[in-house]
Amino acid sequence: MDIREKSGWTLVGVIWLSLVAALIANLQPLFLGALADAYSLGGRQLGFISGMELGGSCLASLTAAYWFPRFRLQRVAFFALSVGLLGNFFTSWVTDYPQLLVVRFITGFLGSGILYALSLGVVGKLANPDRVIAIIITCQVLSLAVGMFSVPLLMERWHLAGVTTSLALLFATGFFFIHTLPERVQPVESLQSSETDVNYLPAALLASLILFSVGLGGVWAFMERIGSSAGFALTDIGTALAVSGLIGGLGGLSAAVLGTRMGRLIPISLAISLEIVACLLLATRSAWTSYILAIALFNFCWNLTLPYLMGAIAATDRSGRFMVLIPAAQTGGYALGPMLVAIAMIGEDFRIAAWISMAVFFLCLVMVQPLLRKVPRPVAFGIEQT
């Protein structure tokens, strides 16, 4: 079936499926906090759990180039939703840490990872994919706010089982949207061409995206633990994270409104510099106002940077080979960040996450500035060119 025959319903379906698939990664600070309370886990253990789950999602993205154009997408979606449902349901039933690692890796790889890669693959086949991605980001920001309010309430009343059962039920809702997906899609011609004119610039920018994602993942995974170590209540932390999520949405909206009137170099450089400031606040301050300011600044700059950085990759990638690696770059970086923190952590001092992310953001800033000066400046950002 041609995807254009039901593109309206497909739009609704991929937005919801991508929302469900990305929810755990977006809620990671509170989800890891819930796991820590339920299983009495330390910082190292949480870092490896986060790394295993996000690493599974990265692996799903890397393998998508093979299975996406070959398999029946509705069957793939059914399989991924089933794994996500069962993986989240059984998370609260495992009895030890090794079993928890295995369950979360399988859930991330065969569940949410495959579902997210499939959703983005279908988005790429729709008309005006940039606008669809903007809608998806907006929906994710709203779901993040709702989730940050809901998880502490679920933990307070039903503990970890309430959180994981709710996640399982959300995956179950995805079955109602499977029929909106196309059975198959045509392979991307640019990936099958014999074109060899691929310069280093998109590859270097993709490496910058990986560094940026490592910095994000390193501190985001432990944001709840940093607040908890400072003596803040879980409900207060959830409220702060929810509000900061809405502020993060303003960062993405700012990128859309501003476009490339100032180019990409100035917004990216400013935003990454402010990410460093946010990490410095988390590492050196323990007051409630400093914590709120830091996570609000962190989320705003996160969502401001990504559209420009992805746009720079798109502007330089003539073959299309690097664009399909963006989800893998992001999830791989998100997975590596917490694992680096877990390796470096001494005792239960979660502020090390902020110090490591600050160093990674600085490296990213140094790396990306000379690259952005070579990126052609488009007429408009996020708007189809004529």
Side-chain angles (χ1 to χ4, degrees), residues 238-314:
T239 300
L241 290 172
V243 173
S244 71
L246 294 176
I247 294 174
L250 295 178
L253 181 62
S254 298
V257 173
L258 181 62
T260 53
R261 295 180 183 89
M262 301 174 62
R264 294 189 179 95
L265 177 61
I266 293 176
I268 289 179
S269 299
L270 178 61
I272 297 179
S273 298
L274 291 176
E275 291 281 30
I276 295 173
V277 173
C279 289
L280 184 62
L281 286 173
L282 289 170
T284 60
R285 298 287 187 271
S286 57
W288 175 244
T289 53
S290 298
Y291 181 74
I292 294 178
L293 176 61
I295 60 177
L297 190 61
F298 181 86
N299 274 282
F300 180 86
C301 295
W302 174 351
N303 288 280
L304 177 63
T305 303
L306 281 179
Y308 286 111
L309 196 50
M310 291 181 183
I313 296 172

Side-chain angles (χ1 to χ4, degrees), residues 131-309:
R131 295 177 183 175
V132 178
I133 291 174
I135 295 172
I136 288 174
I137 292 175
T138 302
C139 292
Q140 287 187 6
V141 169
L142 294 175
S143 71
L144 174 63
V146 173
M148 291 302 182
F149 279 119
S150 302
V151 170
L153 298 177
L154 292 170
M155 279 292 295
E156 184 178 348
R157 184 163 185 177
W158 293 293
H159 307 291
L160 179 64
V163 178
T164 56
T165 301
S166 297
L167 289 171
L169 291 175
L170 282 172
F171 270 86
T173 63
F175 291 115
F176 295 101
F177 296 92
I178 289 178
H179 73 281
T180 67
L181 299 174
E183 281 288 343
R184 293 181 184 274
V185 297
Q186 294 298 319
V188 180
E189 294 179 2
S190 61
L191 297 179
Q192 296 181 335
S193 68
S194 58
E195 180 185 359
T196 58
D197 182 21
V198 180
N199 60 39
Y200 77 95
L201 193 52
L205 287 167
L206 191 71
S208 300
L209 177 61
I210 294 174
L211 271 179
F212 185 71
S213 300
V214 170
L216 292 177
V219 72
W220 180 246
F222 297 100
M223 199 70 82
E224 184 274 340
R225 291 286 91 183
I226 293 174
S228 180
S229 298
F232 308 139
L234 179 61
T235 52
D236 293 334
I237 295 172
T239 300
L241 290 172
V243 173
S244 71
L246 294 176
I247 294 174
L250 295 178
L253 181 62
S254 298
V257 173
L258 181 62
T260 53
R261 295 180 183 89
M262 301 174 62
R264 294 189 179 95
L265 177 61
I266 293 176
I268 289 179
S269 299
L270 178 61
I272 297 179
S273 298
L274 291 176
E275 291 281 30
I276 295 173
V277 173
C279 289
L280 184 62
L281 286 173
L282 289 170
T284 60
R285 298 287 187 271
S286 57
W288 175 244
T289 53
S290 298
Y291 181 74
I292 294 178
L293 176 61
I295 60 177
L297 190 61
F298 181 86
N299 274 282
F300 180 86
C301 295
W302 174 351
N303 288 280
L304 177 63
T305 303
L306 281 179
Y308 286 111
L309 196 50

Side-chain angles (χ1 to χ4, degrees), residues 35-54:
L35 291 178
D37 292 341
Y39 290 100
S40 301
L41 301 178
R44 288 178 180 269
Q45 293 170 312
L46 292 176
F48 283 113
I49 288 175
S50 174
M52 289 291 284
E53 180 155 5
L54 293 174

Side-chain angles (χ1 to χ4, degrees), residues 1-15 122 125-127 132 180-182:
M1 177 180 293
D2 191 329
I3 194 171
R4 290 172 295 184
E5 294 179 14
K6 52 178 181 179
S7 58
W9 284 110
T10 301
L11 173 62
V12 175
V14 295
I15 288 174
V122 174
K125 296 295 182 179
L126 294 172
V132 178
T180 67
L181 299 174

